[in-house]
Amino acid sequence: MFILLWLFFVLLNGRLTLEIALFGAAVAGLALLFACRYAGWSLKREKDFLRLLPRLLIYGLYLLKEIAKANLTTLRRVYSRHEVEPAIVTFRTPLAHEWTQVLLANSITLTPGTITLLLKEGELTVHCLDKIDAGSLEGSDMEVRIAKMEGGK
């Protein structure tokens, strides 16, 4: 969080000088201390986040690729004469942590042709543009990649 706060401070200034870098580090440090004291943040969580950051960036690139693929598929379906059969699917995810379940739900929603309607206690309800996509949601590559992040493998 310290690094993100510092980068945010520098971006808001629009330039990087020694004074801005040092003052930004002091402000980010104070904000981190405030978060540790009053918002339940801890330095252990900070270290865990930094360890997870490369995996999150790799997942972000994977998600961009999936969004591009889904855009092409959705475009093909919309402009073809093929009749689409919308479907609503409910399935349980093996993801244990709430943040990984939310990441999966948001990833599904960001992918064109699918919208997560409900996430409740590890169960997702998803609307699919076509029934063909409904079967590929449970145990998807997206879910497997998130599970690897969750498990720290």
Side-chain angles (χ1 to χ4, degrees):
M1 185 153 124
F2 175 81
I3 294 171
L4 292 176
L5 290 170
W6 181 80
L7 284 172
F8 184 64
F9 184 86
V10 170
L11 284 173
L12 287 177
N13 278 288
R15 58 192 161 104
L16 182 61
T17 63
L18 181 61
E19 294 84 18
I20 289 173
L22 293 175
F23 188 68
V27 169
L30 287 173
L32 182 60
L33 286 174
F34 180 83
C36 289
R37 173 81 180 196
Y38 298 107
W41 193 258
S42 69
L43 294 179
K44 182 190 178 308
R45 288 180 70 185
E46 179 86 7
K47 188 175 83 174
D48 291 344
F49 174 75
L50 287 175
R51 192 174 317 137
L52 186 63
L53 189 60
R55 291 186 191 138
L56 283 172
L57 293 173
I58 290 169
Y59 179 75
L61 293 174
Y62 162 77
L63 182 60
L64 286 174
K65 181 187 83 164
E66 290 301 310
I67 289 171
K69 284 177 19 183
N71 267 310
L72 293 174
T73 303
T74 302
L75 189 67
R76 207 174 307 121
R77 284 191 184 135
V78 167
Y79 286 110
S80 72
R81 299 283 182 214
H82 172 70
E83 277 294 316
V84 293
E85 291 183 53
I88 294 179
V89 182
T90 300
F91 67 96
R92 286 199 76 56
T93 179
L95 300 174
H97 295 94
E98 187 177 347
W99 75 269
T100 53
Q101 293 173 9
V102 170
L103 180 62
L104 176 63
N106 287 336
S107 297
I108 289 170
T109 299
L110 283 171
T111 308
T114 53
I115 297 173
T116 303
L117 302 172
L118 179 67
L119 168 61
K120 187 173 183 181
E121 298 171 3
E123 191 171 271
L124 287 102
T125 303
V126 178
H127 177 273
C128 300
L129 181 66
D130 202 347
K131 199 164 62 170
I132 297 168
D133 299 329
S136 64
L137 288 171
E138 192 169 7
S140 67
D141 188 38
M142 196 176 284
E143 190 176 58
V144 170
R145 287 173 183 260
I146 294 172
K148 284 181 183 176
M149 262 195 298
E150 180 181 55
K153 297 174 186 171

